[in-house]
Amino acid sequence: MVTSTETLRAPAAIRDAQPLAGEALRAAKKRFPPRPYEDAWPATSQSYEEVVARLNRPPLRAASESTHFYRRRGATLILRWLQDQPGATWQQRWNASPAAGSTGAQWNKDNASWVGYDAANANGILNTGLFALVCADVLRPSLHWQLTRTSTNLRAIICQYRDPDGFARLQELVGPEAWSSHLGILAKNVLVKLLIAKGGRLADINVGDAIEYMEAHREQRATSGGQSLFYSWLRELGHLPPDAPVSLRLLHRTSGQVSVEQLVDRYRPQSKPIRDLLSSTSRNASPPWTTRPWRTRHGRS
């Protein structure tokens, strides 16, 4: 006679099965790789004199003479420091410096000692200098680096000078209310961070970049904080492919529509003929991120 415990006990194949939560994310990451972090492009390959000359000219030159002075002063101090680091471009030298291997918060704490500048207002001057070099696309701090510190001024400058047409079109698409809302500001911040880290314009941001940001943000902050809106905005711009995920929200926690082949892999049948027979039915299965996510124990996904 079978006891109640034996009736409820799952077969060994099911007990040992691999979890499928997040399968949609793994599949999307494989299908949509992010752009690489580059270390050489025209702006970062310029000489010291060429970079300083660009900072002295509009649109990078600040309207206020005092602001321009401090930005230029901080930028030249950073450039001279980076000249002592190994590399052929400013980004390569930045990558070789202690700044790139730390965090934005650590930069804010130790920049004066790294650069070797001990003035009373050294931190502020070096931060404004870094601001100028980032705006000029001379340096590209990584997403992880950016997520540990913030700059409200960067958003306005990047929107205005990096891709004014792209941001103007996006603003028209989403409308004034969404554009100026709290979530809208968060979404713009994300787009700016992606442009800073990877270069290019809004049209160049791909699905992999967006997924990379969401994963980096979860590592730093644990939750999305509503910032998945930026991905919806990218879809509205029409630059993402038709088979891109409909949403990135909860993609890491759901399986999506799991294919037969994935289920076969999960239970690992020992018989090769049976495995081949089951797997052959999955050839025309839809990608798991293109369908409605499964419900979770927390409610609607």
Side-chain angles (χ1 to χ4, degrees), residues 198-211:
K198 300 296 183 78
R201 300 185 177 186
L202 291 179
D204 298 308
I205 300 175
N206 64 26
V207 177
D209 294 341
I211 292 175

Side-chain angles (χ1 to χ4, degrees), residues 73-74 80 108 139 169 188 267 288:
R73 175 62 173 156
R80 289 170 186 166
N108 208 43
L139 298 177
R169 180 169 177 263
K188 283 181 282 186
Y267 294 108

Side-chain angles (χ1 to χ4, degrees), residues 214-235:
M214 292 299 291
E215 290 196 298
H217 191 274
R218 279 197 301 273
E219 289 178 16
Q220 295 286 344
R221 313 288 175 86
T223 62
S224 67
Q227 297 196 51
S228 58
L229 176 62
F230 82 94
Y231 183 77
S232 299
W233 283 8
L234 289 175
R235 288 182 61 84

Side-chain angles (χ1 to χ4, degrees), residues 21-22 249-256 292-301:
R249 186 172 179 268
L250 298 183
L251 195 65
H252 62 295
R253 292 171 52 189
T254 59
S255 62
R292 185 182 182 86
W294 291 81
R295 290 180 181 270
T296 68
R297 63 186 178 88
H298 299 291
R300 293 187 62 183
S301 58

Side-chain angles (χ1 to χ4, degrees), residues 8-273:
L8 294 173
R9 184 180 298 150
I14 296 178
R15 293 200 308 271
D16 298 336
Q18 299 299 311
L20 288 173
E23 184 59 40
L25 173 60
R26 288 187 285 273
K29 287 172 65 175
K30 183 177 180 180
R31 172 70 178 84
F32 303 104
R35 290 178 293 164
Y37 283 102
E38 298 180 1
D39 62 8
W41 60 90
T44 196
S45 302
Q46 290 181 322
S47 67
Y48 172 91
E49 291 77 17
E50 288 172 323
V51 172
V52 173
R54 285 181 59 219
L55 296 178
N56 281 328
R57 298 193 301 266
L60 294 174
R61 184 186 180 99
S64 165
E65 283 302 318
S66 62
T67 300
H68 170 67
F69 172 81
Y70 286 116
R71 287 182 184 176
R72 184 181 183 278
R73 175 62 173 156
T76 56
L77 287 166
I78 293 172
L79 292 175
R80 289 170 186 166
W81 167 60
L82 290 177
Q83 284 178 327
D84 294 330
Q85 308 296 325
T89 69
W90 298 112
Q91 184 65 34
Q92 290 171 4
R93 298 175 187 123
W94 170 266
N95 291 344
S97 76
S102 62
T103 64
Q106 194 68 30
W107 159 266
N108 208 43
K109 178 182 177 183
D110 295 331
N111 55 20
S113 61
W114 287 337
V115 175
Y117 184 57
D118 59 359
N121 59 345
N123 179 269
I125 291 176
L126 293 174
N127 275 328
T128 59
L130 182 61
F131 174 94
L133 294 172
V134 168
C135 289
D137 200 23
V138 174
L139 298 177
R140 294 178 181 176
S142 69
L143 290 174
H144 284 276
W145 195 96
Q146 293 184 66
L147 281 166
T148 62
R149 69 190 302 270
T150 58
S151 172
T152 55
N153 292 328
L154 265 178
R155 182 177 68 244
I157 297 295
I158 298 298
C159 290
Q160 184 177 359
Y161 295 128
R162 286 286 187 90
D163 188 9
D165 293 338
F167 280 102
R169 180 169 177 263
L170 179 59
Q171 182 177 2
E172 183 178 358
L173 284 172
V174 304
E177 184 175 350
W179 186 257
S180 58
S181 68
H182 174 66
L183 290 180
I185 292 172
L186 291 178
K188 283 181 282 186
N189 284 341
V190 177
L191 295 175
V192 165
K193 284 180 172 64
L194 285 167
L195 292 187
I196 289 173
K198 300 296 183 78
R201 300 185 177 186
L202 291 179
D204 298 308
I205 300 175
N206 64 26
V207 177
D209 294 341
I211 292 175
E212 183 179 26
Y213 173 82
M214 292 299 291
E215 290 196 298
H217 191 274
R218 279 197 301 273
E219 289 178 16
Q220 295 286 344
R221 313 288 175 86
T223 62
S224 67
Q227 297 196 51
S228 58
L229 176 62
F230 82 94
Y231 183 77
S232 299
W233 283 8
L234 289 175
R235 288 182 61 84
E236 288 194 50
L237 283 171
H239 300 310
L240 302 183
D243 60 338
V246 175
S247 172
L248 298 187
R249 186 172 179 268
L250 298 183
L251 195 65
H252 62 295
R253 292 171 52 189
T254 59
S255 62
Q257 181 175 312
V258 181
S259 69
V260 174
E261 186 173 23
Q262 290 167 322
L263 288 172
V264 171
D265 288 339
R266 186 187 190 204
Y267 294 108
R268 301 188 292 270
Q270 299 301 309
S271 172
K272 188 176 186 303

